[in-house]
C-alpha cells in the first residue's frame, strides 16, 4: 500500500500488472515528499497517495488533475531541473524513480487583464523613457537532427499498428514503428480480447518486444508531419530522464501506415474539468496497470460501451460503482449484459448535469444526473454521492496527421481508422499493412489472425450533452480544456461576428493549450455546429512546435 | 476565454454585442445599387462607406473576417519607398484612427511603430530617399543608426550586427480580425447586406457593361460591381477578357501564441515581416516555406526560438506590376477594382477606401492609383 486509493493485493493479480508492491519508491512533487511503488508513473503514484489536485489552470485558475492517458492529457508536469521546449509532459509518461523531483508546469497567464495592462504599460513607457534593457529569454541551441531510411514506417504501436507490422512480417520489407509514448502497445492492454490465441495485450507486447530487439521501435517520438515522398518527421524525446531534450528525426520511407487509433472524448457538462473527473480509459489503465482506483465511490457516465468496460473492471476490483449513467436509450451490447449480470446499477437515457465540488478537499462530493428525455419530475436532477466520476464520451479518430498532410494511398499513406473496437482496429491495421506491401510490390500469403472480441455498439450522440447546456452551465462547460474555452465562449465569439470556422478558431485561440486540444478530441467541432458556426475547425495541431524546432527542421534538407 | 476579445475590451469599452449575422440565412434581393465582392477589411470598409447611399450587398467567397494578407502584416504605415504610394498613404495611420473611432465595436490597436531594416548599402540609399520623401509629405519617419536600432528592438540587437533602418514611430499595429468584425457590424447597421460563403460565379454583362453578378446560379442585378478581393477579381476579370496587371508572390504566415517577448516596433527585415499585437502574439511572414521562415526569423532574432507556433498558413499576395495598388474603374464599364495592395494590404485598404467610395458615387477622387493610367509602367523590383 502506498496511499488510500491503492487497491489491496486481494483485488487480484489482474490489477497492478506493472507495479511491484514490495518495492517502494520515494519522490518529491511540488516540494512534498511522497512515495509510490516500483513501476508507478508519476500520475498513478500521485493519485494513489490521494493528491487529487495537481495544478492550476493558467487563465482561469481552476484546479486540475490527471484526466487522460499519456500525451493526451491536458495537465502536464515537468521534472525539476529539466528545461527545453518539450519539458512539459503528462504525468502518465514519467516513470518514477528514487529521489526524482517533479512539479506542475507554471504557465504565465496568457489572457489575464492585469497581466496585459502591466505589459502594455511597460511597453508604452519603454517607448518614451530610457528604461533598462528588457530581459530576453535566453536563446537555446537548435535541436540536432537525424535522418533515417526504411521501407515502411508504421505510426502507432497499438493493436492496429501491431496488426500492420504482423501483416508485413514475411514480406522482407524493413519496417520501423514510431510511437509517441514511452510505453509501447497503446491501450491494447485495456481490452479483453483474444488474438491468435493470446490475450490482446500479450500479443502486442510480444510484437513490440521483437521490434525493440531489432532496434526498429522508436519510443517517445511524436510524429509532427508526414511529408510528401513520403517521409515522417518526428520529435523524439531521446532521454526519458530529461524529456525536454529532443532531437528531430526524419524517416524517409516507401510507404507510411498511420495506425494512431482513436481518442476518447470527454463529456460536456457544467464544471466538467473538476479534479476527480477522469476518462474511462485512463481510469481502466490506472486500475489494471497500477492498481489505483479513481475514488472510493465512483459514478460512470458514458455515451459508448467503453464506460461499461471500466464499470465492470471497477466492480471486479472491489470499488463501489454507485451508478452507470448511459445517455443512450437502449444499449444492447454484450458488455452491457455483463454489467447487468454483475448487478451494476444502470440508468439509461441519463446524463450528468453537474458535479458538487469541495474546494477545500479538492474532490468532488456528488454527481448530479437527470433523465434526458422525460419532463417534469421525471427529468428532475438527482444527486448521487460519489468522489469520482468516470466519463466516456465516445471515440474520435486521431487522424489529424492524415488530414493535415493531405496525402492519399496513391502517395503511399495508408490509414487504419475503420472503427474503435478491437476487431475493427486489427482488421483495418492488417489491411493497411497489406496495402503498404502492395504499394511496394511485396507480397505475403499470411492470413489475418483470428480475433475474439466483443463488438461495440454505436456511440451515442455528443449532442445529448451539448444540446442540454443552459446559459449558466455553458460558462464552465469546457470544450477545449487545455486552452480553457467553454461552450459560452464559442457563443460569445459567434456573437462578435466570427461565424466562419477559421476566424472563430483564431479569435478563441483554439488548441493553444499545452495539449494542443488533443484531450478535447473533436468536441470543438461539435460545439461549433451547436453554436451556429459555418463549418468545423481545422484538424488539431500535431504538436506544440517552437520556431527553434521548425528552424531545426529547415536544416534537414 | 476569448483571446482577442480581452485586448479589445482593454482598448475600448465594449458596446453591446451585436451580430452582422443578421443576413445569415436570408437570400439576397433581386437587385442592388452596388455589389461588392470580397470579405476582408478592404471590401468591408467600402461596403460601410457605400451603405448609407443606396442598397449595397457584399458577397464574400469565404468568411467575413480579415483576409490572409491583411493578417500577415497587420501594420498600418505611411513611409513606403514608392513615392506614389507614399503620397496616397501618407495619412494612413490617422485614417485608421478616424475609421476605428466611428465603429461600434472595439478594435485593439497599438502605436508600436515600424522599423524597416537595411541589409545592404543599396537598401540604405533607398530608405534614406524614402525618409526624405516622407519628410516632404509630412510623415514622421527618419533613418536611425545601428546602435539606436538595437536599442529600439532588443531581440534584433542581441542577434547580430544590424544595419541602419528607417523608423516610423507613428505606424499602428491593429487586430485585423477585430477591425473586420467591427466594420461588418457597422456596415450591417447602416443597411448593407453581407453574405459570407457566397462565391460570385461570374459577372453578368449586357451591351453597356456589367449588369450584375451570378451567385448560387441566381442573377443579382447591380449597377456597379466593386471587386475588392484579389483572387475573385483575377478570376472574374479574366473570364471577361478584361485586363489586370498584377504580380503574385507566395508567402507563408506563422502566428505564434500570445505572450511572446517584446519586439519593440514591428520589423521589416528583407523579405521577412514581424509584428506583435497587443496580446503579445507575434506574426511572421515571408516568401519561404514555414520551416525556412522560422529559420530566418531565429537567425535575425535568436530569442524568438522559444516562441510556440499557434498556426501556419500560406497566403498569396498580389501587387500591381509597378508595385502599386489598383483602385479605380476597370476597363469594363460598371466594374471597379480595389486590389493589388501587396504586402502592406492594410495600409492600402484604410487609406484608399474613401476614394473608392467616392468613385463609386461618381465624385472626383484621387487618381494616383487608377488601374490603367498611361503613366503606369512595370518596374523590375517590387518596392518594399
Amino acid at each position: 500500500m502506498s496511499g488510500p486509493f491503492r487497491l489491496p493485493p486481494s483485488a487480484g493479480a489482474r490489477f497492478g500488472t506493472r507495479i511491484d508492491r514490495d518495492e517502494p519508491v520515494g519522490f518529491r512533487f511540488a516540494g512534498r515528499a511522497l512515495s509510490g511503488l516500483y513501476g508507478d508513473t508519476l500520475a498513478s503514484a500521485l493519485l494513489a497517495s490521494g493528491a487529487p489536485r495537481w495544478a492550476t489552470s493558467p487563465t482561469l485558475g481552476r484546479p486540475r488533475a490527471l484526466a487522460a492517458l499519456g500525451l493526451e492529457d491536458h495537465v502536464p508536469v515537468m521534472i525539476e531541473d529539466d528545461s527545453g521546449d518539450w519539458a512539459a509532459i503528462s504525468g502518465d509518461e514519467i516513470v518514477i524513480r528514487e529521489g526524482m523531483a517533479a512539479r506542475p508546469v507554471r504557465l504565465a497567464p496568457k489572457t489575464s487583464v492585469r497581466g496585459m495592462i502591466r505589459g502594455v504599460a511597460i511597453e508604452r513607457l519603454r517607448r518614451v523613457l530610457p528604461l533598462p534593457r528588457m530581459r530576453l529569454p535566453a536563446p537555446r541551441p537548435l535541436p540536432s537532427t537525424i535522418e533515417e531510411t526504411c521501407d515502411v514506417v508504421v505510426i502507432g504501436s497499438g493493436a492496429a499498428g501491431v496488426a500492420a507490422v504482423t501483416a508485413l512480417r514475411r514480406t522482407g520489407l524493413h519496417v520501423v514503428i514510431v510511437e509517441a509514448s514511452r510505453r509501447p502497445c497503446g491501450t491494447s492492454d485495456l481490452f479483453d480480447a483474444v488474438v491468435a490465441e493470446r490475450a490482446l495485450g500479450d500479443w502486442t507486447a510480444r510484437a513490440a518486444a521483437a521490434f525493440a530487439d531489432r532496434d526498429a521501435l522508436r519510443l517517445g517520438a511524436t510524429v509532427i508531419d508526414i511529408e510528401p515522398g513520403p517521409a515522417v518527421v518526428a520529435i523524439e524525446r531521446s532521454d526519458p530522464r530529461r524529456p525536454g531534450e529532443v532531437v528531430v528525426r526524419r524517416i524517409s520511407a516507401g510507404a507510411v501506415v498511420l495506425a494512431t487509433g482513436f481518442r476518447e472524448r470527454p463529456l460536456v457538462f457544467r464544471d466538467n474539468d473538476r479534479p476527480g473527473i477522469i476518462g474511462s480509459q485512463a481510469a481502466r489503465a490506472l486500475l489494471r496497470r497500477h492498481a489505483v482506483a479513481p475514488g472510493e465511490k465512483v459514478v460512470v457516465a458514458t455515451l459508448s460501451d467503453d464506460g461499461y468496460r471500466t464499470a465492470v473492471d471497477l466492480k471486479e476490483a472491489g470499488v463501489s460503482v454507485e451508478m452507470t449513467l448511459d445517455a443512450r436509450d437502449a444499449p444492447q451490447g454484450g458488455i452491457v449484459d455483463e454489467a447487468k449480470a454483475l448487478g451494476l446499477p444502470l440508468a439509461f437515457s441519463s446524463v450528468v448535469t453537474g458535479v458538487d465540488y469541495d474546494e477545500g478537499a479538492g474532490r468532488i462530493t456528488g454527481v448530479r444526473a437527470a433523465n434526458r428525455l422525460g419532463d417534469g419530475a421525471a427529468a428532475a436532477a438527482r444527486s448521487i454521492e460519489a468522489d469520482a466520476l468516470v466519463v466516456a464520451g465516445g471515440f474520435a479518430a486521431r487522424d489529424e496527421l492524415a488530414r493535415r498532410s493531405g496525402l492519399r494511398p496513391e502517395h503511399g499513406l495508408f490509414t487504419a481508422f475503420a472503427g474503435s473496437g478491437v476487431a475493427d482496429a486489427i482488421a483495418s491495421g492488417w489491411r493497411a499493412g497489406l496495402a503498404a506491401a502492395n504499394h511496394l510490390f511485396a507480397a505475403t500469403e499470411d492470413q489475418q489472425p483470428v480475433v475474439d472480441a466483443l463488438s461495440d455498439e454505436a456511440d451515442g450522440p455528443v449532442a445529448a450533452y451539448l444540446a442540454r447546456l443552459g446559459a449558466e452551465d455553458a460558462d464552465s462547460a469546457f470544450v477545449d480544456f487545455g486552452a480553457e474555452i467553454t461552450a459560452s465562449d464559442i457563443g460569445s465569439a459567434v456573437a462578435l461576428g466570427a461565424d466562419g470556422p477559421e476566424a472563430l478558431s483564431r479569435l478563441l485561440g483554439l488548441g493553444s493549450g499545452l495539449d494542443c486540444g488533443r484531450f478535447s478530441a473533436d468536441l470543438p467541432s461539435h460545439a461549433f455546429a451547436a453554436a451556429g458556426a459555418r463549418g468545423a475547425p481545422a484538424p488539431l495541431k500535431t504538436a506544440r512546435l517552437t520556431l527553434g524546432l521548425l528552424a531545426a527542421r529547415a536544416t534537414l534538407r | 476565454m476569448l483571446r482577442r476579445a480581452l485586448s479589445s475590451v482593454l482598448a475600448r469599452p465594449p458596446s453591446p454585442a451585436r451580430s452582422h449575422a443578421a443576413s445569415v440565412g436570408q437570400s439576397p434581393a433581386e437587385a442592388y445599387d452596388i455589389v461588392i465582392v470580397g470579405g476582408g477589411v478592404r471590401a468591408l470598409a467600402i461596403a460601410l462607406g457605400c451603405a448609407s447611399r443606396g442598397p449595397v450587398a457584399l458577397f464574400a467567397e469565404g468568411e467575413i473576417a480579415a483576409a490572409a494578407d491583411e493578417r500577415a502584416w497587420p501594420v498600418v504605415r505611411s513611409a513606403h519607398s514608392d513615392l506614389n504610394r507614399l503620397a496616397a498613404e501618407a495619412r494612413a495611420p490617422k485614417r485608421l484612427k478616424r475609421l476605428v473611432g466611428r465603429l461600434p465595436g472595439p478594435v485593439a490597436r497599438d502605436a508600436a511603430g515600424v522599423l524597416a531594416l537595411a541589409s545592404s548599402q543599396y537598401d540604405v540609399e533607398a530608405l534614406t530617399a524614402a525618409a526624405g520623401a516622407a519628410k516632404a509629405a509630412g510623415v514622421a519617419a527618419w533613418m536611425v543608426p545601428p546602435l539606436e536600432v538595437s536599442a529600439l528592438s532588443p531581440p534584433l540587437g542581441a542577434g547580430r550586427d544590424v544595419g541602419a533602418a528607417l523608423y516610423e514611430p507613428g505606424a499602428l499595429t491593429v487586430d485585423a480580425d477585430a477591425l473586420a468584425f467591427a466594420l461588418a457590424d457597422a456596415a450591417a447597421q447602416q443597411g448593407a447586406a453581407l453574405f459570407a460563403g457566397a462565391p460570385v460565379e461570374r459577372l453578368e454583362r449586357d451591351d453597356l457593361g456589367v449588369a450584375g453578378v451570378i451567385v448560387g446560379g441566381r442573377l443579382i442585378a447591380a449597377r456597379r460591381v466593386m471587386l475588392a478581393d484579389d483572387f475573385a477579381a483575377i478570376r472574374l476579370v479574366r473570364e471577361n477578357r478584361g485586363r489586370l496587371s498584377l504580380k503574385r508572390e507566395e508567402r507563408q504566415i506563422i502566428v505564434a501564441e500570445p505572450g511572446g517577448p517584446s519586439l519593440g516596433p514591428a520589423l521589416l527585415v528583407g523579405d521577412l515581416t514581424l509584428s506583435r499585437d497587443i496580446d503579445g502574439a507575434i506574426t511572421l511572414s515571408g516568401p519561404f516555406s514555414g520551416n525556412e521562415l522560422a529559420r530566418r526569423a531565429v537567425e535575425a532574432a535568436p530569442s524568438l526560438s522559444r516562441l510556440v507556433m499557434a498556426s501556419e498558413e500560406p497566403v498569396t499576395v498580389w501587387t500591381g506590376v509597378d508595385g502599386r495598388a489598383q483602385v479605380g474603374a476597370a476597363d469594363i464599364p460598371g466594374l471597379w477594382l480595389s486590389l493589388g495592395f501587396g504586402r502592406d494590404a492594410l495600409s492600402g485598404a484604410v487609406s484608399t477606401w474613401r476614394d473608392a467610395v467616392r468613385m463609386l458615387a461618381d465624385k472626383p477622387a484621387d487618381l494616383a492609383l487608377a488601374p490603367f493610367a498611361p503613366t503606369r509602367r512595370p518596374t523590375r523590383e517590387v518596392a518594399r
Side-chain angles (χ1 to χ4, degrees):
Chain A
M1 291 286 276
S2 66
F5 295 102
R6 182 83 65 184
L7 299 174
S10 58
R14 189 156 88 79
F15 299 104
T17 50
R18 285 178 189 261
I19 53 165
D20 182 346
R21 288 178 185 272
D22 303 324
E23 206 59 49
V25 176
F27 66 99
R28 299 181 81 83
F29 183 72
R32 276 174 65 201
L34 296 164
S35 82
L37 298 175
Y38 184 81
D40 258 334
T41 62
L42 187 61
S44 67
L46 280 174
L47 286 176
S49 56
R53 175 182 168 153
W54 301 9
T56 307
S57 73
T59 306
L60 301 174
R62 292 170 74 90
R64 292 278 171 89
L66 176 98
L69 282 179
L71 300 166
E72 306 283 289
D73 194 27
H74 66 100
V75 193
V77 293
M78 61 192 283
I79 295 179
E80 210 85 61
D81 81 13
D82 190 16
S83 63
D85 302 330
W86 284 44
I89 187 170
S90 167
D92 190 44
E93 283 290 305
I94 301 173
V95 176
I96 58 166
R97 45 175 210 278
E98 193 65 45
M100 187 183 78
R103 61 177 171 84
V105 177
R106 276 185 291 273
L107 277 181
K110 275 191 209 131
T111 42
S112 84
V113 177
R114 193 184 296 165
M116 191 152 49
I117 291 174
R118 222 180 99 231
V120 169
I122 292 177
E123 267 295 306
R124 297 257 152 97
L125 276 180
R126 203 179 287 285
R127 283 175 204 157
V128 291
L129 291 176
L131 293 184
R133 279 189 97 115
M134 66 186 94
R135 258 198 330 212
L136 291 169
R140 294 176 59 81
L142 297 186
S144 54
T145 56
I146 303 175
E147 294 252 28
E148 190 183 339
T149 330
C150 69
D151 293 326
V152 183
V153 178
V154 175
I155 305 173
S157 63
V162 167
V165 300
T166 310
L168 292 162
R169 189 175 46 182
R170 290 211 205 125
T171 55
L173 294 171
H174 177 35
V175 182
V176 169
I177 307 182
V178 183
E179 165 63 48
S181 169
R182 294 278 342 156
R183 174 177 49 214
C185 302
T187 56
S188 57
D189 55 337
L190 308 181
F191 292 84
D192 295 315
V194 177
V195 182
E197 295 168 11
R198 285 183 190 287
L200 174 63
D202 198 16
W203 182 68
T204 53
R206 278 168 169 265
F211 268 78
D213 288 346
R214 272 182 276 144
D215 193 27
L217 177 63
R218 308 267 170 269
L219 292 179
T222 305
V223 177
I224 56 167
D225 196 11
I226 305 176
E227 295 176 351
V232 166
V233 181
I235 305 289
E236 193 169 318
R237 293 183 151 107
S238 41
D239 180 358
R241 293 174 172 237
R242 291 177 69 85
E245 301 292 323
V246 295
V247 296
V248 181
R249 185 188 283 273
R250 180 160 72 184
I251 312 177
S252 307
V256 175
V257 174
L258 188 64
T260 40
F262 287 71
R263 54 168 67 93
E264 193 164 42
R265 280 184 215 111
L267 292 172
V268 187
F269 52 87
R270 187 175 181 163
D271 290 333
N272 59 347
D273 66 329
R274 291 298 188 199
I277 301 176
I278 188 167
S280 160
Q281 291 199 342
R284 205 153 75 243
L286 287 167
L287 272 181
R288 291 193 174 192
R289 294 173 186 165
H290 308 291
V292 174
E296 282 159 356
K297 292 173 152 186
V298 182
V299 171
V300 178
T302 187
L303 271 175
S304 72
D305 282 0
D306 200 66
Y308 292 93
R309 277 194 284 272
T310 305
V312 166
D313 261 26
L314 285 166
K315 174 83 179 172
E316 286 177 354
V319 180
S320 161
V321 181
E322 301 292 307
M323 185 64 81
T324 300
L325 303 160
D326 192 334
R328 297 173 296 177
D329 301 332
Q332 305 288 339
I335 190 75
V336 181
D337 296 336
E338 211 173 300
K340 282 179 184 161
L342 275 173
L344 286 170
L346 308 180
F348 298 143
S349 312
S350 298
V351 293
V352 175
T353 56
V355 292
D356 301 317
Y357 180 70
D358 182 346
E359 202 78 50
R363 298 212 135 260
I364 60 172
T365 55
V367 175
R368 287 194 297 279
N371 196 305
R372 184 159 77 87
L373 302 171
D375 43 48
R382 58 187 188 279
S383 195
I384 308 164
E385 205 179 304
D387 61 353
L389 172 62
V390 169
V391 293
F395 291 93
R398 225 180 247 129
D399 58 355
E400 60 269 13
L401 275 170
R403 290 171 62 196
R404 284 195 167 246
S405 76
L407 298 182
R408 307 173 51 78
E410 56 265 33
H411 308 122
L413 177 67
F414 303 91
T415 57
F417 295 116
S420 57
V422 173
D424 285 336
I426 290 181
S428 64
W430 187 269
R431 273 200 304 275
L434 286 188
N438 258 336
H439 185 72
L440 300 176
F441 307 105
T444 177
E445 289 178 356
D446 284 2
Q447 291 298 308
Q448 188 199 316
V450 179
V451 182
D452 179 17
L454 285 178
S455 61
D456 279 13
E457 277 208 306
D459 294 346
V462 177
Y465 274 87
L466 264 178
R468 280 189 64 91
L469 287 178
E472 217 175 293
D473 305 327
D475 284 344
S476 62
F478 288 85
V479 293
D480 184 338
F481 291 64
E484 297 184 71
I485 297 164
T486 64
S488 73
D489 287 338
I490 295 184
S492 37
V494 171
L496 270 175
D499 58 352
E502 287 167 30
L504 187 51
S505 305
R506 286 199 297 272
L507 183 63
L508 291 165
L510 204 66
S512 64
L514 285 173
D515 66 336
C516 300
R518 285 192 291 269
F519 175 75
S520 318
D522 63 346
L523 276 184
S525 66
H526 290 280
F528 273 27
R534 289 168 181 276
L540 295 179
K541 278 193 294 178
T542 51
R544 243 173 106 77
L545 296 176
T546 58
L547 292 192
L549 281 169
L550 291 183
R553 212 185 135 183
T555 63
L556 267 170
R557 53 200 73 198
Chain B
M1 190 173 271
L2 301 191
R3 183 162 85 70
R4 297 299 179 102
L6 198 66
S7 55
S8 301
V9 167
L10 200 70
R12 270 187 61 190
S15 60
R18 274 177 296 267
S19 176
H20 65 260
S23 30
V24 171
Q26 290 179 10
S27 58
E30 300 264 302
Y32 291 94
D33 198 24
I34 298 171
V35 159
I36 296 158
V37 179
V41 168
R42 48 188 166 238
L44 290 163
I46 296 169
L48 171 62
C50 297
S52 55
R53 300 190 185 154
V56 171
L58 177 141
F59 295 100
E61 185 159 346
E63 302 178 358
I64 291 184
D69 55 345
E70 292 161 352
R71 280 182 283 114
W73 177 236
V75 173
V76 176
R77 62 179 189 133
S78 303
H80 303 282
S81 38
D82 182 307
L83 295 187
N84 279 18
R85 193 144 185 195
L86 175 66
E89 299 177 14
R91 291 162 52 74
K94 275 189 193 133
R95 286 189 175 169
L96 176 74
K97 280 186 194 158
R98 202 181 314 148
L99 175 62
V100 168
R102 282 176 50 187
L103 297 178
V107 179
R109 61 168 197 266
D110 189 18
V114 62
L115 268 178
L117 263 78
S119 51
S120 67
Q121 191 55 39
Y122 172 78
D123 272 359
V124 174
E125 280 163 22
L127 290 175
T128 310
K135 191 170 182 188
V139 175
W142 53 84
M143 291 299 286
V144 288
L147 200 63
E148 202 176 329
V149 170
S150 65
L152 281 167
S153 184
L156 274 186
R160 49 157 205 186
D161 302 330
V162 289
L166 173 63
Y167 179 44
E168 184 189 347
L172 298 172
T173 305
V174 285
D175 181 346
D177 268 329
L179 179 59
F181 298 149
L183 283 169
D185 204 357
Q189 274 179 41
Q190 299 261 343
L194 312 178
F195 301 96
V200 171
E201 286 149 26
R202 59 190 169 85
L203 295 174
E204 180 71 14
R205 291 184 70 167
D206 60 15
D207 301 341
L208 297 170
V210 173
V213 292
I214 309 283
V215 179
R218 237 186 89 194
L219 170 67
I220 314 288
R223 224 157 46 78
R224 287 145 199 275
V225 175
M226 166 61 93
L227 302 180
D229 171 77
D230 304 57
F231 186 71
I234 286 159
R235 187 168 54 81
L236 295 173
V237 171
R238 287 207 180 132
E239 273 170 16
N240 280 280
R241 294 186 201 85
R243 283 192 301 148
L244 278 178
S245 326
L246 295 175
K247 284 196 273 198
R248 70 184 284 168
E249 183 190 22
E250 300 294 340
R251 292 172 78 86
Q252 194 80 9
I253 315 175
I254 290 181
V255 183
E257 301 216 323
S262 170
L263 269 187
L267 297 171
L268 275 165
V269 188
D271 284 333
L272 193 71
T273 68
L274 295 107
S275 63
R276 180 181 186 269
D277 73 6
I278 202 166
D279 302 289
I282 291 178
T283 306
L284 313 173
S285 85
F288 321 106
S289 74
N291 300 334
E292 182 61 18
L293 175 60
R295 195 184 67 75
R296 291 190 187 221
V298 170
E299 202 177 78
S303 57
L304 299 183
S305 70
R306 303 183 77 169
L307 277 187
V308 177
M309 183 182 88
S311 66
E312 187 182 348
E313 154 180 36
V315 54
T316 308
V317 170
W318 302 89
T319 317
V321 279
D322 53 357
R324 283 173 224 145
Q326 305 193 340
V327 183
D331 58 356
I332 300 168
L335 190 66
W336 303 75
L337 304 172
S338 172
L339 42 88
F341 292 109
R343 297 179 194 172
D344 280 283
L346 218 47
S347 310
V350 298
S351 43
T352 61
W353 69 274
R354 294 181 59 185
D355 288 318
V357 170
R358 289 177 71 84
M359 284 182 224
L360 284 170
D362 290 329
K363 289 186 184 151
D366 184 6
L367 292 174
L369 299 175
F372 304 106
T375 50
R376 300 189 71 162
R377 292 272 182 281
T379 54
R380 289 183 62 198
E381 196 191 1
V382 179
R384 278 195 212 111

